[in-house]
Amino acid sequence: MPVARLGSISLDCAEPEPLAQFWAELLGGVVAFSSDDFVAVQLPHVWLSAVRVENYQSPSWPDGDVAQQIHLDLAVENLEEAQAGALSLGARLASTQPSPDRWRVLLDPAGHPFCLTSLIPE
């Protein structure tokens, strides 16, 4: 029996509103609460929040002084279509692509790396 269940994932950032809106659109969620410093996105099985952090610095993955901070792997059916959709919402393609035939590494508007993959079963 598990001790707990995942309830929320929080992402540090400089601007919570655009980051939360990006993730809401990418994952089909709804912005359920918003303030100047915190925006919560309701998803089917978890909440995702964007939290303003003073002097926020974007991750400098894969090299650099600022760690990636978090990494999400998102299951998709078609890598090309998912990548195009994420880019249209404001993601950027990471310069490093270790296995582009299996995983696409992108950066969200705050610079957090995430992967799209068709390898994760339902």
Side-chain angles (χ1 to χ4, degrees):
M1 174 176 202
V3 173
R5 67 177 175 82
L6 179 62
S8 178
I9 298 167
S10 297
L11 301 172
D12 292 350
C13 62
E15 296 294 329
E17 182 62 37
L19 183 60
Q21 192 61 45
F22 167 81
W23 284 105
E25 291 178 26
L26 185 72
L27 299 175
V30 176
V31 173
F33 175 82
S34 182
S35 71
D36 290 341
D37 296 324
F38 179 86
V39 180
V41 176
Q42 185 177 10
L43 298 165
H45 300 288
V46 69
W47 287 77
L48 186 141
S49 60
V51 181
R52 183 183 310 277
V53 171
E54 194 171 322
N55 301 316
Y56 172 76
Q57 292 184 16
S58 296
S60 51
W61 180 89
D63 302 314
D65 296 334
V66 182
Q68 68 180 355
Q69 301 169 5
I70 193 169
H71 179 92
L72 302 174
D73 290 326
L74 306 178
V76 302
E77 296 208 13
N78 182 296
L79 282 174
E80 295 297 330
E81 290 175 11
Q83 177 180 313
L87 294 173
S88 74
L89 295 172
R92 296 175 317 222
L93 192 62
S95 59
T96 299
Q97 296 292 322
S99 290
D101 57 321
R102 299 174 42 186
W103 308 86
R104 300 292 167 83
V105 184
L106 290 97
L107 306 173
D108 74 10
H112 303 109
F114 66 96
C115 284
L116 302 173
T117 182
S118 58
L119 299 177
I120 299 174
E122 287 189 37

